[in-house]
Amino acid sequence: MDATEPQFTEDEERILAATAKNTARLNLGQLQGYRDAYKPSNFAGRTREDDLCYEAIRRELARRAG
């Protein structure tokens, strides 16, 4: 993928935005656990859905970090 290409499509960005409210409800321990479970190195059969889950969690942790 070219560095100028977006990582996620417009539809995927809409999904991430729509799930942000639910992701924000998770406590820090839950977020860290899910982040560790969904990190790219954890399994070879990754799906695009796995990538979206990981990104949603990563974004919420970044938002909380300020």
Side-chain angles (χ1 to χ4, degrees):
M1 177 181 287
D2 185 309
T4 59
E5 292 180 56
Q7 184 176 356
F8 297 101
T9 66
E10 287 182 33
D11 285 342
E12 290 169 334
E13 286 292 345
R14 279 194 287 278
I15 291 168
L16 287 167
T19 61
K21 186 169 73 170
N22 290 332
T23 306
R25 291 182 182 152
L26 298 172
N27 68 44
L28 187 58
Q30 289 171 311
L31 286 168
Q32 290 169 334
Y34 284 126
R35 178 200 58 204
D36 293 345
Y38 280 102
K39 68 183 168 185
S41 63
N42 272 0
F43 48 95
R46 286 185 73 75
T47 64
R48 193 63 174 164
E49 200 171 282
D50 295 328
D51 291 337
L52 289 172
C53 290
Y54 182 74
E55 180 65 14
I57 292 161
R58 192 195 64 72
R59 288 181 183 190
E60 178 59 22
L61 287 169
R63 185 189 71 78
R64 289 185 189 190

